[in-house]
Amino acid sequence: MFPLAFSVTLLTLLTVLLFLGLGQRVLDRMRLTDAEAVIILLVMIGGHFLPTVSLTARIALNLGGLVPLGVGAYLLFTTSGVEKTRAAGVTLVTALLIFLTDKLLPLQPGLLDPVFGGGIFAGLAATFWGRSRRSAFIGGLVGVLLVDLASVVQLWLQGVQEQITLGSGGLFSSMVLSAFLAVLITEVIGEAREALHQGGEEDA
Amino acid sequence: MPRRLSPVLGALILLSCLLSAPVAADGDLWDELLPSGEYYTLRGPAGQVLLETGRRIYLEDQYLSADNRLYEVVEVDDEARIARAELMEEVELEVTPWQELRRELGLTVIEAADPDQEKGAIALYHTHNAESYVPTDGTDSIYGKGGIHQVGAAFAEALRERGVTVLYSEALHLPHDRGAYRRSRETVLELMAKEPDAIFDVHRDAAPSTAYAVQLNDQWITSIQFVVGRQNQNLGVNRKYAESLKKLADDLYPGLVKGIFYGRGNYNQDLSPLSLLLEVGAHTNSRDAAERGVSLFAEVVDHYFYGPSAEAAERGRAGAARRSILGLLVFVTAAGAVFFVVNAGGFSAALERLKGALRLRDRR
């Protein structure tokens, strides 16, 4: 008998559905080919199994976290200068909002769950800023990472000696979840606005 | 309006909405949810105190009391920190074997235990690493590994003494702020990759000492409260799981589990159906009492997962898993085919599309 992680199964199913056309419009808007999208998903599956390694006495890195970062870098460097600027802006806004809500909202999850907040902020920011799915993806991904890095700096300043682990791979990590959620939000709001706009034109 | 201003304006609008949301009572930016000594009181229909907790209580939160009465919160006064609940029903608890819970989600389809292994693994971690116990640790919060880590270690040790493999992560999820659950999600994913049978997030509450102090077997221990998040798709199974553990605890050690709080939030319980948050005593209890309480709870966990009721459910599992694998494959294939045909707009179109999908297209 063979064991198989649930998230890997889900990713496999998503890959199959992708071949069948699911998310076609989202991929179109992110200007990804079928091959690129499938490779990205397969690489995410692989990232789930990568281990955590100690870099220093204070920092450990989950190698799986490099996978979504690599994907984000690929999306960023294969796009225009304007898009790069937009992605950077969305990322900074997302990171700032995550940081502020972490500090100002109540400790326990409830209003605006901290796991989904990054995706929501990146999605909304990207929607306001040119409705860019690529920027939404990069903003959700890197925004969460920036806040984690800021947390590490804060702990160093506060003299915490324990080792901190950065990053995680897999579809359900907060970084990847934020990225996909951000794209989904941008797509949904964009489609809704288009539908309303078309409906208004028909009434006229 | 200039186009460049729209994203800035949008972000400002969003930020102002967030800042108008409820904030921690204490103005200190780095502090806990409620200052030490402050807590919410949940009162029942007759005004009786059902629960005292440092967790913020929201409308529609539910609480299963020690005597198995389910209450729902109907009114909350955040200034006075008082909430009022109405009785929904008296629950007849029963123990649902954990293999049956996993089958409800189809998980036995994709996992099969090593038949030679007697006991599996239980995973433990702490989202709020800093939580400590004032009488023993001298403070309610130690910025690093707090007293809660020693309670976790006691839990792990008690399980190991019973022959259970323990995956105990002491990874830090500091700073002690709202982002801790986002950071601990990565720890949960790492632990889940090792395929434990269950995962526990070990915390302590913030409440008067009397809320958790209980005497069992002539010893003072702290009782334990379960917290189940209402905002995740596994809520139904998590509820049955929590109730099963409580039922078993009630039989083995009456009074050990003080109740189950169904609160707003996710608590990363969407990642696994057998995931539970434990409040082991409060900051006003001694850590030694908490360690004794959680050690008794280890026996309950061992009994639930590897005891007589679990053995009975194990029989016929292998056959059920084989049938379930075939069933899932058939279901997924059928569902995918239906989706494909509907999306394509008919059988002929679907066939053409399938031919086209096999040739990778350039979308640029």
Side-chain angles (χ1 to χ4, degrees):
Chain A
M1 297 290 239
F2 57 91
L4 188 66
F6 183 65
S7 64
V8 174
T9 306
L10 190 59
L11 272 174
T12 308
L13 288 176
L14 281 177
T15 307
V16 170
L17 288 173
L18 181 68
F19 251 122
L20 300 179
L22 184 69
Q24 178 180 336
R25 285 176 62 84
V26 175
L27 297 178
D28 278 342
R29 301 301 174 88
M30 290 179 70
R31 295 190 294 279
L32 288 175
T33 65
D34 284 343
E36 286 168 336
V38 170
I39 288 170
I40 283 172
L41 282 176
L42 290 176
V43 168
M44 295 282 196
I45 291 172
H48 179 83
F49 298 102
L50 293 177
T52 299
V53 295
S54 276
L55 298 181
T56 69
R58 282 181 154 185
I59 288 189
L61 178 68
N62 184 295
L63 295 179
L66 295 177
V67 170
L69 282 179
V71 169
Y74 173 78
L75 289 173
L76 188 64
F77 292 118
T78 55
T79 189
S80 65
V82 171
E83 188 64 44
K84 285 188 176 86
T85 305
R86 188 179 292 152
V90 168
T91 299
L92 288 175
V93 168
T94 301
L96 178 64
L97 291 176
I98 295 173
F99 181 81
L100 289 174
T101 51
D102 278 356
K103 300 307 177 191
L104 296 178
L105 289 185
L107 193 70
Q108 73 190 66
L111 177 71
L112 196 65
D113 195 290
V115 171
F116 305 117
I120 294 171
F121 298 146
L124 292 176
T127 300
F128 280 120
W129 206 330
R131 198 184 157 187
S132 167
R133 282 79 170 168
R134 284 203 178 207
S135 295
F137 189 93
I138 295 165
L141 201 67
V142 183
V144 170
L145 178 65
L146 286 179
V147 176
D148 281 349
L149 287 172
S151 300
V152 172
V153 170
Q154 179 187 337
L155 293 179
W156 283 346
L157 293 174
Q158 290 173 325
V160 174
Q161 301 295 320
E162 308 291 343
Q163 190 179 62
I164 309 293
T165 300
L166 285 178
S168 175
L171 182 66
F172 299 103
S173 69
S174 51
M175 277 172 57
V176 174
L177 209 58
S178 291
F180 279 104
L181 181 60
V183 172
L184 186 68
I185 287 173
T186 307
E187 180 68 14
V188 166
I189 294 177
E191 292 299 312
R193 283 168 65 182
E194 264 187 21
L196 285 171
H197 182 67
Q198 283 172 1
E201 283 180 352
E202 283 169 8
D203 288 342
Chain B
M1 175 190 305
R3 286 190 66 184
R4 285 181 185 174
L5 281 182
S6 64
V8 176
L9 183 62
L12 285 174
I13 291 171
L14 184 62
L15 187 58
S16 62
C17 289
L18 289 166
L19 289 177
S20 66
V23 295
D26 193 319
D28 191 322
L29 210 58
W30 310 105
D31 252 353
E32 291 193 31
L33 167 63
L34 293 174
S36 185
E38 293 194 27
Y39 49 88
Y40 274 79
T41 300
L42 178 65
R43 292 186 179 276
Q48 77 276 29
V49 173
L50 297 174
L51 173 68
E52 291 168 310
T53 178
R55 295 197 164 270
R56 190 175 285 267
I57 297 178
Y58 295 96
L59 285 175
E60 296 181 6
D61 283 348
Q62 294 181 346
Y63 183 64
L64 182 76
S65 61
D67 57 356
N68 301 326
R69 294 180 181 195
L70 185 65
Y71 297 88
E72 181 165 300
V73 178
V74 295
E75 190 181 322
V76 180
D77 182 342
D78 285 311
E79 278 198 39
R81 308 246 193 278
I82 292 176
R84 192 173 62 81
E86 286 185 356
L87 177 66
M88 292 186 68
E89 60 176 319
E90 293 194 27
V91 180
E92 192 74 34
L93 293 185
E94 56 183 40
V95 178
T96 307
W98 64 282
Q99 294 92 339
E100 202 173 302
L101 293 177
R102 292 185 86 94
R103 269 197 290 276
E104 282 187 27
L105 291 171
L107 285 182
T108 51
V109 172
I110 54 177
E111 283 184 33
D114 178 355
D116 295 328
Q117 188 181 1
E118 283 189 11
K119 295 188 178 184
I122 301 291
L124 313 177
Y125 69 104
H126 306 284
T127 295
H128 291 155
N129 308 93
E131 290 176 343
S132 302
Y133 300 81
V134 175
T136 352
D137 299 316
T139 175
D140 65 321
S141 183
I142 296 173
Y143 214 69
K145 289 185 182 176
I148 196 65
H149 279 252
Q150 294 181 61
V151 173
F155 190 15
E157 185 55 33
L159 285 169
R160 288 187 183 116
E161 281 174 3
R162 310 191 76 81
V164 179
T165 301
V166 180
L167 306 170
Y168 181 27
S169 172
E170 294 198 81
L172 293 189
H173 309 112
L174 299 172
H176 194 51
D177 62 20
R178 189 183 174 78
Y181 282 99
R182 188 180 59 247
R183 290 184 284 274
S184 72
R185 189 175 183 84
E186 320 307 330
T187 298
V188 176
L189 287 168
E190 280 182 39
L191 289 170
M192 279 185 62
K194 298 170 187 173
E195 300 181 2
D197 292 326
I199 297 181
F200 292 99
D201 186 3
V202 184
H203 291 246
R204 64 106 179 101
D205 204 344
S209 60
T210 50
Y212 279 89
V214 66
Q215 210 168 12
L216 277 181
N217 299 338
D218 295 324
Q219 268 194 329
W220 280 102
I221 66 164
T222 64
S223 56
I224 295 170
Q225 179 162 278
F226 301 158
V227 177
V228 175
R230 292 190 288 115
Q231 288 175 330
N232 77 84
Q233 80 285 0
N234 292 323
L235 174 60
V237 173
N238 274 350
R239 183 183 284 263
K240 284 185 190 176
Y241 170 50
E243 290 178 356
S244 296
L245 279 180
K246 183 179 186 298
K247 167 66 177 167
L248 212 51
D250 288 347
D251 291 340
L252 288 173
Y253 295 110
L256 175 62
V257 175
K258 72 189 297 280
I260 306 174
F261 182 69
Y262 300 97
R264 185 192 293 191
N266 176 294
Y267 305 109
N268 293 317
Q269 290 171 358
D270 61 305
L271 294 174
S272 168
L274 299 184
S275 171
L276 211 52
L277 191 153
L278 306 178
E279 301 273 28
V280 186
H283 71 295
T284 45
N285 299 115
S286 85
R287 196 188 66 239
D288 302 320
E291 290 174 18
R292 287 192 289 271
V294 83
S295 297
L296 293 179
F297 184 65
E299 186 180 337
V300 175
V301 172
D302 176 41
H303 196 86
Y304 177 70
F305 283 97
Y306 312 115
S309 57
E311 285 168 9
E314 187 70 26
R315 292 179 213 120
R317 180 182 169 193
R322 280 192 290 274
R323 288 192 294 275
S324 295
I325 290 170
L326 186 60
L328 181 68
L329 283 175
V330 168
F331 173 77
V332 168
T333 305
V338 168
F339 169 81
F340 186 55
V341 169
V342 169
N343 196 36
F347 286 103
S348 303
L351 192 57
E352 287 304 311
R353 196 169 174 184
L354 185 61
K355 289 176 186 173
L358 293 175
R359 296 187 299 269
L360 295 176
R361 291 167 291 169
D362 186 348
R363 297 182 188 278
R364 281 193 250 261

